[in-house]
Amino acid sequence: MSPPTDPAVAQMSRDILDEMKGIAGPNPGYRPEHAKGLLLDGTFQSTAEAEDFSTAFHLQNREIIPIIARFSNSTGIPDIHDTNSDANPRGLAIRFMRSFKPQRIHTDIITHSVDGFPAATGQDTLAFFNAVRQGDQALTAYLNTHPKASAYVDMEKLTPTSFAREMYYGVNAYKFIGRAPEKEECYVRYRIVPEGGVEYLSRNEIQTKRENFLSEEVLERLETEGIKFSLMAQIAGPGDVVDDCTVRWPDRRQVVKLGEIELHAPSADQVRQQKYIIFDPIPRTEGIEPSADPLLDIRSGAYLFSGQERRQA
C-alpha cells in the first residue's frame, strides 16, 4: 500500500484525517473513525457465477480463501457503548488473503451499514467533518446548504441485535474485468447480506443491553455456530453514475452473488493487529479496478496515514 502520488490528494487525505481526529479528540493507537472494533478470522468461497464477472484471485475456481474481517462502531471513541446511537452505522471490512509469505498479497472490501455517504468530493468531505467537529449549529448550517449530506444524516440508522444480523454496503463503485479475450467490463457496488437476515432492536430493548453487547454476542455466537454472509454485487446499468458515491443506483438493477463469507473465531493478538492492519479501499488486484470516483484515492490515503500513526503510537 503506497501513499497517493498526487500531492494535492495526499494533502486532502491528511486534512480530512485531522478533522476526523478533532471530532472525538486525539486517541493515539486508534482509528479516528470506527475506533472500536473486533477482528475475526474466517474463509471466503466464491460462486461459479463470480468467475464470469472478474478474474480477481478470490473470485476464481471456487477456491476457499482465508479472510480477516473487522466489525466496528462508528466514531473515533474507542470505548463508545454499543447502545449509543452515534455508534451507527456499523462497519464491516474484509481482507481476502492470497498469500502470507514471503509477501502478503491481499485485497480488501470496506463497507458500512447504510447505503449512502455524505459527500462526493474530498472538499465536501472535509467541509462535512469540519462542520461535525464545530458542533450542532455549524452542522445544521452546513446541512441546510448541502442536500446530499442532509439526506445521508437523515437516513435511518438502527441498532442491530448482532453484527451478524446487519446488512453492509460498499460506498464506492468498482470496475470488474472479465476473462480474455472478451474482457467484458461492468461496474459494481458491494453488498454484504447476513444469512439470518437483518434484525434490529427497539428503543426499549436497547436500554436493556450491556455496553459491549455486540462484541460479546459475536463471541458467544462463534462458540456455537459460525457467522455467515453472502457477498453480493449490484451491477450498474446504462447511464448509471459510477464516479459519485452519493448517487445510488435503482433497486431494479441486477444483483449477483459473488460468494459466501464465514467467520470462525476472533483473531489472535487483537491489540497488536488492530494497530497493524490497514484496510485499503483501492482493490490493487487483477480483475478489479477503482472507478473514477475522486474519493477513492483520498480515502486510501487517509486510511494509510491513520494506520501509520497507529503503528507508531
Side-chain angles (χ1 to χ4, degrees):
M1 188 174 179
S2 55
T5 55
D6 185 334
V9 171
Q11 186 59 54
M12 180 60 71
S13 298
R14 293 189 182 278
D15 291 345
I16 291 172
L17 182 60
D18 287 343
E19 286 292 347
M20 294 171 73
K21 288 190 292 185
I23 294 171
N27 292 296
Y30 292 92
R31 291 164 171 79
E33 180 62 29
H34 290 270
K36 182 180 181 180
L38 178 67
L39 288 168
L40 302 169
D41 296 333
T43 56
F44 172 78
Q45 185 175 28
S46 63
T47 61
E49 189 176 14
E51 298 183 18
D52 297 332
F53 287 91
S54 170
T55 59
F57 72 89
H58 59 303
L59 301 180
Q60 294 297 303
N61 304 320
R62 303 212 65 204
E63 183 180 355
I64 297 177
I65 303 291
I67 64 171
I68 302 170
R70 185 176 189 265
F71 289 123
S72 61
N73 288 346
S74 284
T75 83
I77 303 171
D79 58 354
I80 187 170
H81 290 192
D82 294 350
T83 55
N84 190 324
S85 62
D86 288 341
N88 295 310
R90 313 292 164 160
L92 174 55
I94 299 176
R95 170 156 295 175
F96 303 82
M97 299 299 305
R98 184 169 190 174
S99 66
F100 292 88
K101 294 180 180 180
Q103 180 182 3
R104 284 177 174 258
I105 300 175
H106 54 75
T107 190
D108 301 337
I109 291 177
I110 303 169
T111 65
H112 65 178
S113 62
V114 63
D115 191 14
F117 200 71
T121 66
Q123 192 60 51
D124 280 350
T125 302
L126 179 65
F128 174 76
F129 284 120
N130 176 266
V132 173
R133 181 178 60 79
Q134 292 186 64
D136 290 345
Q137 185 174 354
L139 180 59
T140 298
Y142 179 83
L143 296 178
N144 285 339
T145 57
H146 292 79
K148 290 183 178 180
S150 180
Y152 172 81
V153 170
D154 289 342
M155 285 180 177
E156 192 172 41
K157 302 174 183 70
L158 301 175
T159 298
T161 59
S162 167
F163 280 127
R165 299 295 301 274
E166 180 60 282
M167 185 163 173
Y168 303 88
Y169 301 86
V171 173
N172 310 99
Y174 298 92
K175 182 166 70 174
F176 274 18
I177 303 169
R179 296 191 192 98
E182 295 86 357
K183 290 189 176 181
E184 293 184 2
E185 299 177 355
C186 65
Y187 284 90
V188 308
R189 280 199 181 108
Y190 296 115
R191 295 178 178 180
I192 301 178
V193 182
E195 181 185 59
V198 297
E199 185 177 63
Y200 299 106
L201 295 170
S202 68
R203 290 185 179 180
N204 289 339
E205 288 172 328
I206 291 172
Q207 294 175 2
T208 69
K209 296 296 182 179
R210 294 158 57 92
E211 62 188 63
N212 297 313
F213 83 93
L214 285 174
S215 55
E216 291 171 351
E217 192 277 341
V218 163
L219 296 177
E220 291 172 2
R221 182 183 291 262
L222 289 173
E223 291 181 357
T224 58
E225 58 182 298
I227 294 174
K228 296 181 180 180
F229 292 92
S230 293
L231 175 61
M232 314 294 289
Q234 184 187 30
I235 311 297
D240 285 345
V241 176
V242 298
D243 59 356
D244 183 337
C245 63
T246 66
V247 179
R248 313 320 291 172
W249 302 336
D251 290 338
R252 64 181 180 274
R253 292 292 180 254
Q254 179 186 9
V255 177
V256 299
K257 184 174 180 178
L258 300 179
E260 295 182 349
I261 296 161
E262 185 165 359
L263 305 177
H264 306 304
S267 301
D269 197 1
Q270 286 276 327
V271 174
R272 178 181 178 277
Q273 288 295 335
Q274 292 277 7
K275 281 188 175 183
Y276 181 82
I277 192 167
I278 304 172
F279 292 100
D280 186 0
I282 301 293
R284 306 186 196 278
T285 187
E286 179 187 352
I288 306 176
E289 294 182 358
S291 65
D293 189 327
L295 273 186
L296 275 166
D297 281 336
I298 292 170
R299 289 182 67 203
S300 181
Y303 281 52
L304 174 61
F305 299 144
S306 172
Q308 291 172 337
E309 291 179 3
R310 284 199 309 277
R311 292 176 180 184
Q312 295 171 2

